[in-house]
Amino acid sequence: MQVAATTWLLFVSSVLVLAAHVASAVSNEPFAIRISCGAREDIRTKPTNTLWYRDFGYTGGRYTNASRTSSIVPPLKTLRHFPLSDGPENCYNINRIPNGHYAVRIFFALVADADLQNEPVFDISVDGTLTYSMKPGWSNHEDQSFMEALIFVKKRSLCVCFHSTGHGDPSILSIEILQVDVNSYNYGRPRSNLMVLRTAKRLSCGSGKAAFDEDYNGDHWGGDRFWLGALSFSQGSDQSISTEQSIAEASLPPNFYPKKLYQSAIISTDRQPDLTFEIDVDPSKNYSIWFHFAEIDPRVTNEEERVFDILVNGDVIFEKVDIIRMTGEGHTALVLNRTVSVSGRTLTIILHPTKGYAIINAIEVLEIIPSELRTLAEEVSTLQTLKASLGLPLRLGWNGDPCVPQQHPWSGVDCQYDKKSVRWVIDGLGLDNQGLKGFLPSDISKLKHLESINLSGNSIQGSIPFSIGTIAGLQTLDLSYNQLNGSIPESLGRLKLLRILNLNGNLLSGRVPATLGGRPLHGASFNFTGNAGLCDIPGLPTCGPHLSIGAKVGIALGSLIAFLLFLVCLVCWWKRRQNILRTQKIAASREASYAKARTHFGRDVQMTKHSPQRSHDQSRIVTDDSPALLS
């Protein structure tokens, strides 16, 4: 029932995504998909009348009611949560997305059920790249109630996965996929399309309220970013200012920053000349920092009236910043960007004035995450076939990419990086004692990089696929203690690197291939015991004289000819028998007629003897006859 429902919902998802794409193309609007997780029908939310599609595209999980954690969370009433018993990895697979640059935002919420553990902590990956690891206490911080990242879609699909870490069941309120300008947030590094930019912090300075771009009347191509409000950096030692005057050069491509972002700011004072801002970050990472300025202070109208340096963790990254000089006039947006490496767990930004006071309108800190290389598509597809044919239990998961993120590989799957294909490949399967059933598909040979297969201690039925003998690098094959039947494929003898072969404890029969029988003499470890039908190697019964294929064909032809001769003889005998029976029948008929005639004659004689007239006549005849007649 669950499978049928999932299939139907995936079909619906494709239709919805295609419809959204067509609508976007017609209106020249950015492509957008918003999913209300756990919702069974489309929903629109106030005050913007935003459309949220019903839940689709998932690989598992369960519907339940949601408990919102903050005021910025969308007003949605349901969520989807993923119990660990259903698998450690669960994903949303969204297809038919136009290739391009997208902001992906995922909101979290708490399950509205006292019996379930609240505030789960889990990891999130996008297209195989570990993008975010949640922190304990996230439900008490508005800017930690969601994850946002900028990614490139290259194959018209997007896979968002949630990985259990043993601290509660992942619970997802909503997923948003919002197209942005293809050149947005280009931080000047080559091959930036191979990177993911995760939002570590977005801060609107001088504003005390958290807001999205839509609240700031921002352009849709900006991706509806979230800005956390900040009135002060140093508890009143600085001051906030604002203006209603329009800001020039603000809502421009490729980033489309809203004008309202520049209409408020924080300014340093005599009590605290430096403006200092600190955030906690992950160590040994690179961060792209974006600084937003507009000279909205009516006291500053000329160059050289406000000049300051910008330092990050003690290093000067911008020197002698003069907003009026760099923009040419006041109330004009200025954006500066720099990429820095952070070794510790704190990123400290200092604006140090050399003339006048420092000012800042907004700050963005984006973590730069190299995109993970994916697993070979053919091998991923083969593993999914294996999952279906062996009936893998839900607890194993097997959703998303088997090798990435590297922190969360699939259970029972070993990976290695293949330089030739520049992809991850599967070099080991270790699924022993997992309660597997079903059969081994012949497609397993498509995992051509396998070096080890261990499927022992399960209930796998059917025969051993002949194709396994084509996995040239296979060194270990353990299929012991299953319910495999049939014969051992001759192809296994072609595996020149095979050193361990355990087929014991099955229902196999027939001759063990001669190419395998001598291997143990050269250091290999083979085990065929516990198969009553196997024969012809030391420790097993003898199969009898070995016949070549030609001999077997000759015997088969001879047997056929003998059978045909026997059939011809049988037909001839049957026809002869029929002729004899027919002759006997005719003879019997004639004999019966002769016997009948004699019977009539005897009766007549008897009647004559007993008749007086006949006796007188007879005596008279005899008397008149000559003596010669009586002799």
Side-chain angles (χ1 to χ4, degrees):
M1 194 70 179
Q2 177 71 19
V3 174
T6 300
T7 303
W8 169 249
L9 287 172
L10 288 174
F11 169 75
V12 172
S13 75
S14 299
V15 174
L16 292 175
V17 173
L18 181 61
H21 175 43
V22 172
S24 297
V26 172
S27 61
N28 198 28
E29 288 289 314
F31 183 90
I33 286 288
R34 292 179 170 90
I35 302 172
S36 175
C37 300
R40 301 179 186 274
E41 58 185 22
D42 296 346
I43 300 171
R44 289 190 178 272
T45 56
K46 297 179 180 179
T48 55
N49 201 36
T50 301
L51 172 63
W52 299 85
Y53 289 112
R54 71 191 71 179
D55 201 356
F56 66 87
Y58 53 83
T59 61
R62 306 176 187 181
Y63 293 97
T64 190
N65 293 325
S67 176
R68 298 172 60 199
T69 59
S70 70
S71 59
I72 69 167
V73 172
L76 303 172
K77 298 180 179 179
T78 62
L79 57 75
R80 178 175 289 276
H81 76 106
F82 302 96
L84 183 58
S85 58
D86 289 356
E89 292 90 30
N90 287 277
C91 308
Y92 274 79
N93 298 305
I94 314 300
N95 300 314
R96 298 189 181 183
I97 300 176
N99 291 341
H101 201 190
Y102 288 85
V104 177
R105 184 163 58 224
I106 302 164
F107 274 98
F108 321 124
L110 302 179
V111 174
D113 188 337
D115 295 332
L116 295 176
Q117 181 181 357
N118 282 335
E119 199 184 67
V121 177
F122 51 93
D123 291 343
I124 301 168
S125 67
V126 179
D127 275 349
T129 299
L130 184 63
T131 306
Y132 187 53
S133 296
M134 299 177 66
K135 300 175 177 62
W138 61 265
S139 60
N140 297 320
H141 298 82
E142 286 191 333
D143 60 337
Q144 293 183 21
S145 62
F146 67 92
M147 184 283 297
E148 182 184 87
L150 292 166
I151 60 97
F152 281 89
V153 171
K154 303 168 187 175
K155 296 183 178 180
R156 297 181 59 82
S157 65
L158 192 67
C159 181
V160 181
C161 294
F162 311 102
H163 308 273
S164 297
T165 60
H167 303 281
D169 301 328
S171 53
I172 312 302
L173 183 75
S174 64
I175 299 176
E176 298 175 85
I177 303 171
L178 311 172
Q179 188 175 16
V180 297
D181 191 285
V182 70
N183 294 312
S184 62
Y185 289 96
N186 187 335
Y187 52 94
R189 293 291 182 93
R191 299 170 65 87
S192 60
N193 63 332
L194 299 180
M195 302 290 177
V196 173
L197 292 179
R198 182 188 68 82
T199 303
K201 184 73 71 174
R202 277 200 175 96
L203 200 64
S204 176
C205 303
S207 170
K209 293 183 178 180
F212 290 93
D213 266 12
E214 63 181 19
D215 303 320
Y216 284 165
N217 297 317
D219 191 287
H220 293 318
W221 282 102
D224 196 18
R225 293 152 290 197
F226 169 76
W227 302 88
L228 185 66
L231 284 173
S232 173
F233 287 160
S234 55
Q235 297 180 347
S237 296
D238 49 29
Q239 65 178 6
S240 60
I241 62 172
S242 62
T243 182
E244 296 296 327
Q245 188 170 335
S246 181
I247 305 296
E249 304 295 324
S251 188
L252 300 176
N255 291 349
F256 297 95
Y257 292 114
K259 294 180 180 180
K260 194 171 183 179
L261 188 68
Y262 299 92
Q263 291 179 321
S264 63
I266 293 177
I267 300 177
S268 62
T269 63
D270 290 333
R271 288 187 299 170
Q272 188 69 43
D274 290 346
L275 289 178
T276 302
F277 171 67
E278 290 185 349
I279 65 169
D280 295 331
V281 294
D282 294 329
S284 303
K285 298 289 182 68
N286 294 328
Y287 291 85
S288 179
I289 308 176
W290 300 73
F291 301 93
H292 299 269
F293 304 101
E295 189 53 79
I296 61 173
D297 187 347
R299 298 170 297 179
V300 177
T301 56
N302 298 308
E303 298 180 14
E304 301 294 326
E305 293 182 355
R306 189 193 308 278
V307 181
F308 53 90
D309 298 334
I310 302 177
L311 297 82
V312 174
N313 285 355
D315 297 325
V316 177
I317 61 171
F318 289 104
E319 188 176 8
K320 296 181 179 180
V321 176
D322 186 333
I323 300 171
I324 295 292
R325 177 177 59 82
M326 298 173 76
T327 61
E329 58 182 336
H331 296 89
T332 301
L334 170 67
V335 182
L336 302 178
N337 168 244
R338 187 61 54 88
T339 299
V340 299
S341 297
V342 180
S343 58
R345 293 185 174 276
T346 303
L347 187 149
T348 302
I349 298 173
I350 299 177
L351 278 65
H352 173 68
T354 57
K355 289 185 179 181
Y357 302 101
I359 187 173
I360 184 71
N361 298 78
I363 301 173
E364 296 176 279
V365 180
L366 307 178
E367 180 185 349
I368 301 172
I369 306 172
S371 297
E372 289 274 14
L373 296 171
R374 308 290 296 275
T375 306
L376 274 176
E378 183 181 36
E379 300 209 352
V380 177
S381 176
T382 301
L383 286 178
Q384 292 291 358
T385 299
L386 196 66
K387 173 183 178 180
S389 64
L390 292 179
L392 257 69
L394 288 175
R395 56 181 171 78
L396 291 181
W398 279 36
N399 296 307
D401 190 290
C403 299
V404 292
Q406 297 180 49
Q407 299 88 339
H408 297 282
W410 286 2
S411 299
V413 175
D414 296 327
C415 303
Q416 68 174 356
Y417 179 71
D418 181 47
K419 293 182 179 179
K420 184 178 180 180
S421 62
V422 198
R423 290 289 187 274
W424 289 92
V425 296
I426 312 303
D427 68 343
L429 288 176
L431 295 170
D432 51 305
N433 300 298
Q434 295 296 332
L436 307 183
K437 301 179 181 179
F439 62 94
L440 276 174
S442 60
D443 280 0
I444 193 173
S445 62
K446 293 181 180 179
L447 300 174
K448 56 186 178 181
H449 299 90
L450 280 176
E451 297 177 1
S452 173
I453 299 175
N454 185 355
L455 301 175
S456 62
N458 291 293
S459 299
I460 303 172
Q461 301 177 356
S463 60
I464 300 173
F466 182 89
S467 61
I468 288 184
T470 65
I471 307 175
L474 195 61
Q475 301 174 25
T476 299
L477 178 59
D478 191 345
L479 302 177
S480 59
Y481 299 107
N482 280 284
Q483 298 174 21
L484 297 168
N485 54 35
S487 60
I488 299 175
E490 293 280 350
S491 62
L492 296 188
R494 304 173 190 169
L495 299 174
K496 302 303 181 183
L497 300 179
L498 191 63
R499 309 307 297 165
I500 298 176
L501 176 62
N502 292 332
L503 300 178
N504 50 302
N506 281 284
L507 306 173
L508 299 172
S509 60
R511 186 185 304 276
V512 175
T515 49
L516 294 176
R519 294 280 189 91
L521 299 177
H522 298 86
S525 173
F526 290 179
N527 191 342
F528 303 105
T529 60
N531 292 277
L534 286 180
C535 55
D536 222 22
I537 67 165
L540 295 177
T542 301
C543 294
H546 179 71
L547 298 176
S548 65
I549 295 178
K552 292 178 181 178
V553 172
I555 291 174
L557 289 175
S559 300
L560 179 61
I561 293 172
F563 174 74
L564 291 176
L565 289 174
F566 171 76
L567 190 62
V568 170
C569 293
L570 182 63
V571 171
C572 292
W573 174 84
W574 183 81
K575 285 184 173 294
R576 185 172 180 275
R577 177 65 178 169
Q578 291 298 314
N579 290 335
I580 292 172
L581 292 175
R582 190 180 299 109
T583 301
Q584 291 176 344
K585 186 175 180 180
I586 293 173
S589 177
R590 290 177 177 176
E591 181 66 24
S593 299
Y594 176 72
K596 182 178 180 182
R598 291 189 62 186
T599 301
H600 287 306
F601 177 76
R603 186 176 66 241
D604 292 340
V605 172
Q606 291 295 326
M607 290 178 64
T608 302
K609 289 181 178 180
H610 294 286
S611 173
Q613 181 64 35
R614 294 281 296 185
S615 300
H616 173 74
D617 292 341
Q618 184 67 23
S619 60
R620 186 166 58 106
I621 291 172
V622 172
T623 303
D624 290 342
D625 285 344
S626 62
L629 293 175
L630 300 171
S631 59

